[in-house]
Amino acid sequence: MDKVKRRKLDILVLSDVHLGTYGCHAKELLHYLKSIKPKTVILNGDIIDIWQFSKRYWPKAHMKVIKHLMGWMSKGVKIYYITGNHDEMLRKFVGFKMGSLRIVNKVILDLDNDKKAWFFHGDVFDVTMQHSKWLAKLGAVGYDTLILINRLANFISEKIFKKGKLSLSKKIKNSVKSAVKFINSFEQTAADIAISNHYDYVVCGHIHQPEMREIANEHGKVMYLNSGDWIENLTALEYIDGEWKIYKFDEADIMHMNEHDEEELDNSQLFDNMVEEFNLLKQ
């Protein structure tokens, strides 16, 4: 079989994948990961949803995403795992290094043309997270339930009424003034802090809202970027030859996804393979 030609990226930024939840589009993500060859990977929080993790729900596609990332580690791809709120349990391991993997709370990288980029998840700005964690977790469960309802609605819309997909959560977020206000406040706060620290780029996740735009205040300006999520938007950030762009998974690619392009293994076999790769990384 001919090898697939993979697009070369200088930096890949992924966030809010939420592996372990019903809303995660792991198959689509895996298809995307197989199509690229990054030098540096920023996993910008909420990659594994430890809040809602359940032994009863961990499909093969979710395990394959982890295995693919570990495969990159074994090849020396530099990977920064930035902790988020749904995987905050990992914060106790901040500073951990293994091979090319680092677990951190933030990353500052020097990019082309002497520009600096500041990467962090963004939940530090979330008042709900800071003061009412139980409420935030309840909201996360409600969001996951809404995604399930959305999938049923999409099935009915596409198969029965022959219409396009809907996004209930997007409609809710866009119609609730407080949600729009929070997003605007989040973006401005991130930009203000980045400008005060003389960063050229500030790169976040957390709010599931892919974005790339310049934000200014009286002290200067900065390029604000958000990698979105793999629940609704199916987006990532790509940095190639000094330029940033937002990648969005094309639904037309679903037709080309081949689940049988490699030997099908069950979760137990996939886990054994991962342990073997992990042991090789420790050597």
Side-chain angles (χ1 to χ4, degrees), residues 161-204:
F161 294 106
K162 308 298 181 185
K163 293 185 177 181
K165 288 189 174 182
L166 310 168
S167 178
L168 300 178
S169 54
K170 273 188 183 179
K171 286 183 180 294
I172 291 171
K173 281 192 291 186
N174 293 338
S175 63
V176 177
K177 288 183 179 179
S178 59
V180 175
K181 184 179 178 181
F182 170 74
I183 289 171
N184 292 338
S185 175
F186 177 96
E187 294 174 345
Q188 189 64 54
T189 301
D192 289 344
I193 296 174
I195 291 168
S196 69
N197 284 283
H198 306 291
Y199 298 131
D200 301 285
Y201 305 103
V202 54
V203 188
C204 305

Side-chain angles (χ1 to χ4, degrees), residues 20 26-27 32 34 40 63 66 75-76 78 95 99 192 197 203-204 229 254 277-278 282:
K27 288 182 180 178
Y32 169 58
K34 289 180 178 180
T40 299
M63 183 74 85
I66 299 293
K75 293 173 183 174
K78 189 172 289 186
D192 289 344
N197 284 283
V203 188
C204 305
D229 66 282
I254 295 175
E277 288 186 17
F278 180 82
K282 290 197 299 182

Side-chain angles (χ1 to χ4, degrees), residues 146-159:
L146 182 61
I147 293 296
L148 282 175
I149 296 170
N150 204 156
R151 286 193 174 182
L152 176 60
N154 281 336
F155 177 82
I156 295 170
S157 176
E158 290 183 301
K159 301 298 183 182

Side-chain angles (χ1 to χ4, degrees), residues 25 28 31 165 234 249-258:
H25 285 266
E28 290 83 350
H31 179 75
K165 288 189 174 182
L234 282 60
F249 186 84
D250 187 347
E251 289 196 7
D253 288 347
I254 295 175
M255 302 298 295
H256 304 293
M257 287 197 307
N258 186 355

Side-chain angles (χ1 to χ4, degrees), residues 15-272:
S15 69
D16 301 275
V17 175
H18 293 275
L19 291 169
T21 66
Y22 292 103
C24 173
H25 285 266
K27 288 182 180 178
E28 290 83 350
L29 175 57
L30 185 63
H31 179 75
Y32 169 58
L33 297 180
K34 289 180 178 180
S35 73
I36 56 175
K37 187 178 180 181
K39 293 179 183 176
T40 299
V41 177
I42 309 286
L43 300 175
N44 202 359
D46 291 358
I47 303 302
I48 301 174
D49 198 319
I50 297 174
W51 273 10
Q52 299 182 75
F53 182 80
S54 169
K55 293 179 181 178
R56 293 170 296 179
Y57 187 77
W58 187 256
K60 281 194 292 186
H62 294 223
M63 183 74 85
K64 285 182 178 180
V65 168
I66 299 293
K67 187 176 184 299
H68 195 86
L69 294 173
M70 289 191 68
W72 279 350
M73 285 171 55
S74 68
K75 293 173 183 174
V77 175
K78 189 172 289 186
I79 299 178
Y80 296 96
Y81 194 122
I82 299 175
T83 55
N85 49 305
H86 284 253
D87 47 19
E88 64 178 349
M89 189 180 295
L90 296 176
R91 284 180 177 157
K92 65 179 71 173
F93 300 108
V94 163
F96 174 81
K97 300 178 182 180
M98 186 183 67
S100 59
L101 172 71
R102 305 286 186 274
I103 297 180
V104 294
N105 283 331
K106 64 180 180 180
V107 174
I108 298 169
L109 293 182
D110 293 316
L111 303 184
D112 297 333
N113 302 316
D114 297 321
K115 293 190 174 183
K116 282 188 179 294
W118 173 36
F119 304 81
F120 70 107
H121 183 63
D123 57 298
V124 66
F125 299 150
D126 195 333
V127 175
T128 304
M129 268 299 306
Q130 293 173 17
H131 301 294
S132 303
K133 190 169 291 184
W134 69 269
L135 184 59
K137 289 185 178 181
L138 182 62
V141 173
Y143 179 68
D144 207 35
T145 303
L146 182 61
I147 293 296
L148 282 175
I149 296 170
N150 204 156
R151 286 193 174 182
L152 176 60
N154 281 336
F155 177 82
I156 295 170
S157 176
E158 290 183 301
K159 301 298 183 182
I160 299 176
F161 294 106
K162 308 298 181 185
K163 293 185 177 181
K165 288 189 174 182
L166 310 168
S167 178
L168 300 178
S169 54
K170 273 188 183 179
K171 286 183 180 294
I172 291 171
K173 281 192 291 186
N174 293 338
S175 63
V176 177
K177 288 183 179 179
S178 59
V180 175
K181 184 179 178 181
F182 170 74
I183 289 171
N184 292 338
S185 175
F186 177 96
E187 294 174 345
Q188 189 64 54
T189 301
D192 289 344
I193 296 174
I195 291 168
S196 69
N197 284 283
H198 306 291
Y199 298 131
D200 301 285
Y201 305 103
V202 54
V203 188
C204 305
H206 186 53
I207 58 174
H208 295 210
Q209 192 82 8
E211 184 64 86
M212 184 171 68
R213 66 185 177 95
E214 189 175 83
I215 299 178
N217 63 20
E218 64 271 24
H219 302 295
K221 59 184 179 180
V222 69
M223 183 63 74
Y224 166 84
L225 301 104
N226 196 300
S227 44
D229 66 282
W230 284 83
I231 301 290
E232 297 172 87
N233 296 293
L234 282 60
T235 52
L237 288 169
E238 300 180 345
Y239 183 74
I240 311 167
D241 296 330
E243 297 289 335
W244 284 102
K245 73 169 187 175
I246 296 175
Y247 166 86
K248 183 168 179 60
F249 186 84
D250 187 347
E251 289 196 7
D253 288 347
I254 295 175
M255 302 298 295
H256 304 293
M257 287 197 307
N258 186 355
E259 296 180 349
H260 304 288
D261 58 353
E262 61 182 40
E263 183 185 0
E264 285 295 317
L265 304 175
D266 61 28
N267 269 349
S268 177
Q269 291 170 313
L270 286 167
F271 181 76
D272 289 342

